[in-house]
Amino acid sequence: MILYTPLSETDIFPHSQNEFSNRHCVNYQGKMLFVEEGKDGTYSLLQLLSTDPQDFLDEKYTPGTKIR
């Protein structure tokens, strides 16, 4: 089976459920984001989920950005 996807292998087949349980889809400032929750309560942006190309040019949606 061939799976064509922009996601990484570990996003599709996580090593354990605990590793994937701290990742969420959230609505932040009107944009859908895929984030990972940190131990200090902040979220780290993993992926911007948008169909608008202009959203990807905005620096505040760069992967790795910390969100409160």
Side-chain angles (χ1 to χ4, degrees), residues 9-58:
E9 180 183 349
T10 56
D11 289 338
I12 299 168
F13 306 109
H15 292 68
S16 69
Q17 186 61 25
N18 294 337
E19 187 176 313
F20 198 69
S21 65
N22 61 346
R23 294 183 179 185
H24 312 284
C25 268
V26 296
N27 190 347
Y28 178 72
Q29 297 180 348
K31 310 288 185 219
M32 287 302 296
L33 305 175
F34 191 58
V35 297
E36 184 172 28
E37 186 175 3
K39 294 179 182 178
D40 58 352
T42 61
Y43 293 92
S44 179
L45 177 61
L46 297 175
Q47 184 178 14
L48 171 63
L49 306 172
S50 177
T51 57
D52 185 2
Q54 291 296 319
D55 291 342
F56 294 93
L57 298 175
D58 195 344

